[in-house]
Amino acid sequence: MTGLDVVFVLVALFTAGAAVLTVTSKNLVHAALSLAATLAGTAGVFLVLHADFLALVQLVVNVGAVAVLFLFGLMLTRAPIGREALDSQNRGLGLAVAGGLFVLLSGLIIAAFGTTSVEQVTGASIEVIGIAIFADWVLPFELLSMLLLGALIGAIMLARRETGESGEEAMATRIDVGDTPTAEGGVRAELENTTPAGQLGAGGDR
Amino acid sequence: MEALLDYAWLVVVLPLASAVAIAAFGKNLPWKGSELGIASLAISWVLSVLIAYQTFIMSPMEEPVEFSYEWAPMGSEFVFELGMLVDGLTAVMLLLVTTVSLMVHIYSREYMHGEKRFTYFFAMLSLFTFSMLMLVIANNLVQAVVGWELVGVCSYLLIGFYWEEKSNQDAANKAFLTTKFADVGLIVGVVVLSAGMFGLDTSTPFNIREINAAATAGELSTTTVVLGMLMIFLGCMAKSGQMPLHVWLPDAMAGPTPVSALIHAATMVTAGVFVLARLFPVLAQSIVVMNVIAVVGVITLFFGGLLALVQDDIKKVLAYSTVSQLGYMVAAIGVGGYTASVFHLFTHGFFKALLFLGAGSLIHAVHSNNMSDMGGMAKAMPYTFVTFIIGTLALAGFPLTAGFFSKDEILIAGEIWAGAGFATGHLVYWVGIAAAFVTTFYMARACFLIFAGENRSHHPPHESGKQMVGPLVVLAVLSIASGYIFSPVWTAEQNFETWTETEFITEETVYPFAADADEGGEAAGIPGAGGIQGDGVLAAGSEPSVLAAAEDGELTVLHGAPTWHFDLLALLLVVFFAAVGVAWKFYGKGPPDRDPTMQMGPVTTALVNKYGFDAFGYRYIVVPVRDTWARAASYSSNVLIDGAVSGVGRVTKNAAFATYRVLDQKVIDGGVNGAAFSAAWWSERLKRTQSGNVQRYAAALVAGTIVLVVAFAAAT
Amino acid sequence: MSLVGPLILATFLFCVGIYGVIARRNAVLVLISVELMLNAVNINLVAFQNLLFPDELAVSGLMFALFIIGVAAAEVGVGLAIVFNMFRNRASVNVDDVDLMRW
């Protein structure tokens, strides 16, 4: 057990704990923040594993953008802020399946790699990664950029409010942004004026 | 003209065609079908006359004209024939049957006038004529038996013509059953003879010529001959009214008088004698058979005649007279009088038919069968009177009538037979003379009762019309003329004897058992000439079957041309006048107050009870059969068989219904419905997997992955 | 260091992600769980990169992980757009309510 192992175990514990918190938290925002913590922990794992570039990318992209994106999503979908039950009735099934898979896979892994150890890893430098990207992996790289472009356009298309469409939209979804504030002022008034149909999962029916 | 003989079958087929035609559309014709019958019979009669003439002038025929269709249903092993055999004997019978039938047809037009079933009557007459002719012309025994049975059926139908009366139905039944009982013997006899032929190399064992040839050649065993001929004789006994199977003949008088004239006097009852004559070469091989035949014939001729003494019904008198005369014919066969028997058959047909038709004329006039209702008819019905008297004279055998010559021949045959040392000949001779007395007496009695004295009927009678009297006259002429073919008055190279000669019965044929000691070896040793070949019995020109050359003192079958036997003639004349005298004494002036025949004490009782035959038959045959066998048969048929049949039906119906209920409704429908139901049941439960819940689908996916991982891990 | 550690961690995160996918009612939380799974895969890849190419002859594992991060980001974007759509149509992001394709 080297020092690296110890560090790794610590980081791993942190990551694992944050992940569990993510999926079991009763508070939506807590869950999203736990995700952010998990992602950060993952970056730490990368560091321990000599993948420093990847760790930084992870931090920038996943923690900085994706987790924030989730928070935005929660906000925009009127995620109920407050304690409430967020789990569906499939908990038992989920536990069973996930647990079974974990046992199985870890058993297999330990059986296969239980005694393997990795020594003397030279972490890849940015130079090598850069050369690899633009030499060996340039095609996937380009495709990835295409994919991102497609996702961007797709997201815009999907989330766009149809212009000229009247009235089928639920009251709760109307967000007046900008220059037509309601009389009561702002989003919070909107929230309080919502019809009972607009209440999102309040109280929940487990 | 010889070619005409090839068309002899036309004579047979014409009445059949007319029978069918009358049955089909006779009712619509102006004469109600009788014209068809008369026309076809007339043509047949003309043909028969020509055939008779042809065979007569060709006689003795060396070889008969034979033609047949052969049919081998069982391969070439066994051949049935449908054919004709035309020789002198055939021609004699053809002539007799067609003549009498034609006379009866004409007579019946008037006699049966106004009858409800007039057309049916004529159809039956034609059918009967066809059947009898088929029997006569048959060249094989199977065809003969077919004709025999058919005449039996026609007789049954015609006796029961007035079937509204139960007594007429009973009479028809009695006739049919009695003859049917004896037909067992006939068929057994035919089978025995043909079985005897099986050992020989022939494919047509029923062929008459072949049987005769085999018999004359001595190739049939004694058992075959004796058993076969005795059985056939049993059949002949009933058909030809021999005692004790004669009981149906008097009762058959229930039918119309023309029927009695045609069937029960001239033709059907002579079928038995005819068959015996056809198979004479066979029965001539055995003295046993001939003795039996002679004895039965003698008994019949005497006791049958006695029965006529106590009858009041004119038809019954004539019926018993027929029985007696048939006895003469049969007895003649039994004592070797082949020619005599056939000759008597021939003449008797004419005068007995005449007597019956005359009786019919009388009955028609007084509307009663009984002689006690007649009397003094001579003045009222002169034609009937004269013809009836002529018939009576013929029957009684008055010289120069046909009956005289034929009866004479029988007695002479008996004499010759007796001269050869056989006792039956004496029997025939003396009993025959005694019966002649009886015959003359009862016929004289009848004539006096009918024609003499005062009229006792309800209203004065008058002569019958031309259609009835015409046949009477014709038959009267024949009753006299037919005798001269074979009489000492007119001898010729060709006479009745040559006419009825066959290839097996020639001038030289002798009896195998009658050969003298000297010729014993010879007779036995000469093989049957022209024996049985494979295909034909006798090739043309081969020698006739002769056992030994006839020598003086040999007993031949044929007796040569007739000669005057003046001693017999004197005796018969004495007998005749004695009988007539006695009858005139008692009945000359009308019926006496006390009929002497009724005063003979136990004899009368026996005669009136008909010797107890009928009572015996009823008590010991009819009643047991009726009460046991008939009941059992009826039970087995109606209860058992019908019950079985309807039981099968019921079981089937129930099985079908059960099949429907169980198999169809429960099993099959249940299966089909159950399949649908289980599909619905399962789908009701399995549909819940389609929850629409994506997470559940994901969970299922992961579970599947686990399974796959395990599978792959285990596989490695 | 041992190889098995990161692998077990990766497996654990993956299974936790599966549990989250199955057991969470909010659509966004489902997406979050998916994100967890992707990261678990990344850890796996990096661990094997260290095992297979410790001398930086090839950096396939790192490359793969990079691309996964990129794709995950794209996927989150599109996924959230879909969730918005869903929210707009029925005012609820409860995945239990999206069950029109049921029996």
Side-chain angles (χ1 to χ4, degrees), chain C residues 28-47:
Chain C
V28 179
L29 285 177
V30 170
L31 281 170
I32 287 172
S33 306
V34 173
E35 191 62 33
L36 263 183
M37 289 158 75
L38 285 165
N39 280 282
V41 171
N42 274 353
I43 298 176
N44 200 8
L45 280 166
V46 170

Side-chain angles (χ1 to χ4, degrees), chain A residues 182-199:
Chain A
T182 59
E184 277 86 2
V187 170
R188 191 145 302 272
E190 285 281 304
L191 273 174
E192 270 134 30
N193 277 344
T194 56
T195 59
Q199 293 296 335

Side-chain angles (χ1 to χ4, degrees), chain B residues 249-305:
Chain B
L249 239 177
D251 288 13
M253 298 298 117
T257 311
V259 167
S260 305
L262 176 61
I263 300 185
H264 305 118
T267 46
M268 185 182 96
V269 293
T270 56
V273 181
F274 169 74
V275 166
L276 287 178
R278 266 278 203 243
L279 293 175
F280 191 80
V282 181
L283 65 91
Q285 305 298 316
S286 162
I287 185 65
V288 173
V289 173
M290 293 186 77
N291 283 344
V292 168
I293 294 177
V295 169
V296 170
V298 166
I299 293 175
T300 305
L301 72 89
F302 185 68
F303 291 103

